[in-house]
Amino acid sequence: MAEIAPDIFFASISELNAKLRAKEFSCVELTRAFCDRLERVGPRYNALALSLREQAVRAARDVDRDLKIDRTRGPLQGIPYGAKDLLAVKKQPTTWGAKPYAAQVFDYDAAVIEKLDKVGAILIGKLSMVELAGGGDYITAAASLTGPGLNPWDTTRWSGGSSSGPGSAVAAGLVTFAIGSETSGSILTPAAFCGVTGLRPTYGLVSRRGAMALSWTLDKLGPMCRSAEDCALVLHQLAGADIQDPGSAGRNFNYTPQYTRKPGDITIGYMPVDFEDGAEPSAQPALRVAFEVVKSLGVKLKEIKLPEFPYGALVGTIIAGEAGSIFEDLIRSGKVDQLADKHQIAGLKAMLDLPATEYQRAMRVRTLVKQAFRDLFLNCDMVLSPARLGPAPKVAEPLNAPGPPTKSRGGLIPGGNLAGLPALSLPCGFAEGMPVGISLLGRPFYENQLVAIGNMFQKQTDWHRRRPPVT
Amino acid sequence: MDVSRRQLAAVLTGAAVAQAQAPTPVSADKEVDDARARQRIAAQTIARVPLPMSTEPAFQFKA
C-alpha cells in the first residue's frame, strides 16, 4: 500500500489528479488517507458533521477501475472533497447544522453533488455549519449542532461562518476542496478567517437544488479551495442551467484562462481608506502589502466610491421576509427553541411579524442597488477590498462585541450579495498570527477574470500555500 | 374543597373564552421584542432611501 506523504493533503487539484493518473497511489489509498485525517483531525475544529467513508471508498474503487483503462473524466476525478451540511446527500443525514433537523434524511442528492459525482470527485464527508446558515442573526460561535467552528490557525478563534466546516477543513488539509454556501458572507468570511480561497459565484450560476434555502434570492453555492485556479476548476463542474432551480441563470461557466484580458487592460476600483487606515490596526500592514502586490501586476487602479445604501438593513429585511416563510413551520411548531443561539431563535420568531410592505420596499431598493453597481462597473472591471476588516475573533466573545474601531464602511459583502455579484476571497497575509484576506468583486458572470487576477496574485505571493499547525 | 361539575364547567369555559380573546404573540419574551425592534429600525432606515414609485422589486415572475 502506497504511503500518502503529508504534502499530499495540501496539494492542488491538478497536482493530485496528475499523481493519480501516474498511479503514484490509487484513489482508494488516497481516499482512505483523507478519510483517516478528516475523522481524526476534523473533530478538533468541530469541522466534521458526518464521515462518508464507506460510500467514498466505493466511489474511489470506481475511479481506480476507470483510471486503469484510461477512462478519464477531468481534473476532479479522484479528488476528495467535503460538502457543507446543507447539501442533500442521498440516504445520509443532512442536519442543516440544527438540532431540529438532526435526523433529517433526503432520498436524493443535491445538484452539485450529482455533478461532482459524474466527474469522479470523491465526497468524503459532510462539513459543519452554523445552524440554518445563521439567518436569524446569531451572535455566538457556538450557534451550531456540532459546536463552535474552531480555526485551525488558533483554536481559540472562530473559523468564521456559516461555512465553518468547509473553511477549517480546507485550511487544515482535511479535504482538497469543499462546497460552501453564501447568503451574505458565508463563503468569503470563513475563507478570509481560515486563509483559504473562496469563490462566491454570480447568483443563479450554480443550481441550488437540494440545498437548504435560507433566502431564495440571495443564496449561492460555491467552492472553497487552496487556490483561485482550484476554485475555477470546481466551478467549471458546478455551474450550469437547472430548470428545477427557479433562480437558475441558465448559463454555464467554462474555465478559460487563455481568453482572459491582459492585466494592463483591467481597471480595478478601490476605496483608499480600505488600504490606509480603514481596517483594524493589526490587519492594516498586510492589506497595504497586498494592495502593492495587486498594483505590481500591471493593472490600472482607480479610486471609487461605494454606492450609498443601507446594505445591512436591506439584507436583514430580505432574509427576514424569505427565511421567515421558509422556516415558518419550524417557528410556529416551537421547535425553533431547540436551536443553540438564543439571539437567532428570537430573530427567527420576529420574522413572522415582518410586514409584507417592508419586504417589498427592501426588494424595490434592491433594484436601485443593482443599478448602482451596474453604473459602478462602467468605470472599472472589478473592485478590490479587504475581505474582512480584521482577523478572526475569539470564540469566547460574542460575535457582535465591538471590535477595534475601523474607518472602512464595509458594505461590499452585503452590497455584492444584494446585486448577485461574484466575488473571490484571497489570503493575503497575517495579523495577530491569523490569516487576513482581500476580495475581488466583479460584474455578473465575470468569474474567469476574477480568477485570472487571483491566479496572478497567487503567483506573486505564497499566502495560499501556508499551512496551519496541524499535527 | 369539593367542586361541582357545574362549577368546573364554568371555570373551563371561562378559560377557553379568555384564551380565544387574547391571541398570544409567538413569544412574549424580551429577546423577541428586541428582534422585532431591530426589524423596525431596519425598515425605518430603508424607508429613508428615495424610491421612485415606478421602481419594481428585484425579482421577476414568468408564466
Side-chain angles (χ1 to χ4, degrees):
Chain A
M1 175 151 153
E3 196 177 309
I4 304 294
D7 282 352
I8 294 298
F9 299 115
F10 297 92
S12 71
I13 288 172
S14 304
E15 285 167 357
L16 261 191
N17 188 256
K19 287 180 185 296
L20 279 166
R21 287 159 75 159
K23 298 181 176 58
E24 286 187 27
F25 37 72
S26 70
C27 187
V28 168
E29 286 164 344
L30 182 71
T31 299
R32 283 197 175 125
F34 266 92
C35 286
D36 288 347
R37 189 176 170 90
L38 178 62
E39 288 165 7
R40 181 171 47 86
V41 179
R44 286 187 210 165
Y45 314 124
N46 294 326
L48 178 61
L50 180 71
S51 172
L52 295 173
R53 176 187 284 265
E54 228 178 273
Q55 73 178 58
V57 170
R58 271 201 306 275
R61 286 202 183 99
D62 289 344
V63 168
D64 280 333
R65 271 194 290 271
D66 280 346
L67 289 177
K68 200 170 174 184
I69 55 172
D70 290 330
R71 185 189 292 154
T72 54
R73 293 199 250 163
L76 299 188
Q77 190 177 20
I79 306 299
Y81 79 99
K84 185 175 180 180
D85 199 20
L86 49 57
L87 291 166
V89 172
K90 196 172 180 172
K91 294 181 183 163
Q92 300 288 352
T94 298
T95 71
W96 299 349
K99 194 168 173 197
Y101 299 101
Q104 175 173 250
V105 175
F106 297 104
D107 63 357
Y108 54 82
D109 286 331
V112 295
I113 304 290
E114 284 178 351
K115 288 184 170 220
L116 290 170
D117 185 57
K118 268 201 183 83
V119 295
I122 307 291
L123 176 61
I124 66 168
K126 295 289 217 68
L127 303 175
S128 62
M129 57 182 281
V130 174
E131 58 192 5
L132 305 184
D137 195 20
Y138 60 108
I139 58 169
T140 60
S144 173
L145 182 62
T146 42
L150 304 179
N151 199 305
W153 292 92
D154 176 350
T155 52
T156 67
R157 302 241 190 184
W158 188 38
S159 58
S162 62
S163 307
S164 11
S168 300
V170 173
L174 312 185
V175 294
T176 303
F177 70 91
I179 307 301
S181 76
E182 174 152 334
T183 303
S184 188
S186 295
I187 287 176
L188 300 191
T189 298
F193 285 169
C194 292
V196 303
T197 306
L199 176 58
R200 178 192 77 218
T202 307
Y203 177 81
L205 187 58
V206 177
S207 171
R208 295 170 301 129
R209 174 168 53 88
M212 181 203 89
L214 172 62
S215 167
W216 301 296
T217 66
L218 283 165
D219 293 343
K220 302 147 222 71
L221 302 174
M224 295 173 72
C225 307
R226 303 189 62 79
S227 70
E229 174 160 89
D230 279 5
C231 283
L233 291 172
V234 177
L235 184 65
H236 185 102
Q237 301 302 336
L238 296 183
D242 186 350
I243 56 168
Q244 292 182 70
D245 174 2
S248 176
R251 290 173 69 137
N252 286 333
F253 168 78
N254 293 306
Y255 178 40
T256 52
Q258 66 274 31
Y259 297 131
T260 49
R261 293 156 68 194
K262 292 195 285 281
D265 295 338
I266 299 289
T267 301
I268 297 184
Y270 72 101
M271 287 157 287
V273 65
D274 283 349
F275 297 97
E276 288 164 3
D277 55 357
E280 288 180 18
S282 66
Q284 287 170 23
L287 291 169
R288 280 191 206 110
V289 169
F291 181 82
E292 293 303 320
V293 172
V294 172
K295 201 167 158 185
S296 76
L297 300 179
V299 298
K300 295 186 221 132
L301 285 161
K302 185 184 175 117
E303 288 186 24
I304 56 145
K305 265 189 74 177
L306 193 63
E308 298 249 355
F309 286 97
Y311 295 114
L314 287 166
V315 163
T317 303
I318 290 167
I319 289 176
E322 296 179 11
S325 179
I326 290 163
F327 295 113
E328 184 181 356
D329 290 349
L330 174 77
I331 301 165
R332 292 201 188 280
S333 71
K335 288 182 182 167
V336 67
D337 289 326
Q338 294 175 23
L339 295 181
D341 188 293
K342 287 197 177 355
H343 203 264
Q344 170 133 271
I345 293 171
L348 284 161
K349 288 178 178 176
M351 286 176 183
L352 297 189
D353 298 324
L354 182 79
T357 47
E358 284 177 16
Y359 170 76
Q360 288 288 24
R361 190 173 185 101
M363 287 297 271
R364 291 172 66 205
V365 173
R366 189 176 181 181
T367 298
L368 303 181
V369 170
K370 279 174 57 178
Q371 287 167 356
F373 273 93
R374 229 173 271 146
D375 292 342
L376 176 69
F377 285 120
L378 292 175
N379 298 311
C380 65
D381 297 296
M382 53 186 82
V383 176
L384 174 69
S385 70
R388 298 290 307 205
L389 295 179
K394 293 272 189 189
V395 162
E397 289 165 8
L399 299 177
N400 60 353
T406 56
K407 291 184 194 167
S408 282
R409 276 192 49 221
L412 267 183
I413 283 182
N417 277 290
L418 284 165
L421 303 175
L424 181 68
S425 177
L426 302 160
C428 74
F430 286 83
E432 301 168 31
M434 297 299 296
V436 174
I438 51 168
S439 84
L440 290 165
L441 178 78
R443 57 170 74 97
F445 307 108
Y446 211 54
E447 286 84 352
N448 260 312
Q449 203 62 61
L450 295 179
V451 165
I453 300 295
N455 275 342
M456 283 182 233
F457 181 86
Q458 288 181 336
K459 279 192 171 73
Q460 300 298 325
T461 62
D462 70 345
W463 304 118
H464 60 295
R465 276 195 277 275
R466 301 290 181 96
R467 303 175 188 181
V470 179
T471 50
Chain B
M1 179 181 106
D2 285 338
V3 176
S4 71
R5 282 178 294 174
R6 268 205 198 103
Q7 284 167 329
L8 189 59
V11 165
L12 289 172
T13 310
V17 166
Q19 200 169 25
Q21 282 174 345
T24 16
V26 173
S27 167
D29 73 304
K30 188 179 179 308
E31 289 227 31
V32 180
D33 288 339
D34 290 347
R36 289 188 187 113
R38 283 193 296 275
Q39 258 172 207
R40 275 194 300 273
I41 290 168
Q44 286 161 7
T45 307
I46 294 168
R48 287 196 284 273
V49 177
L51 186 61
M53 197 170 158
S54 59
T55 307
E56 295 194 6
F59 61 76
Q60 290 177 323
F61 173 75
K62 289 185 164 76

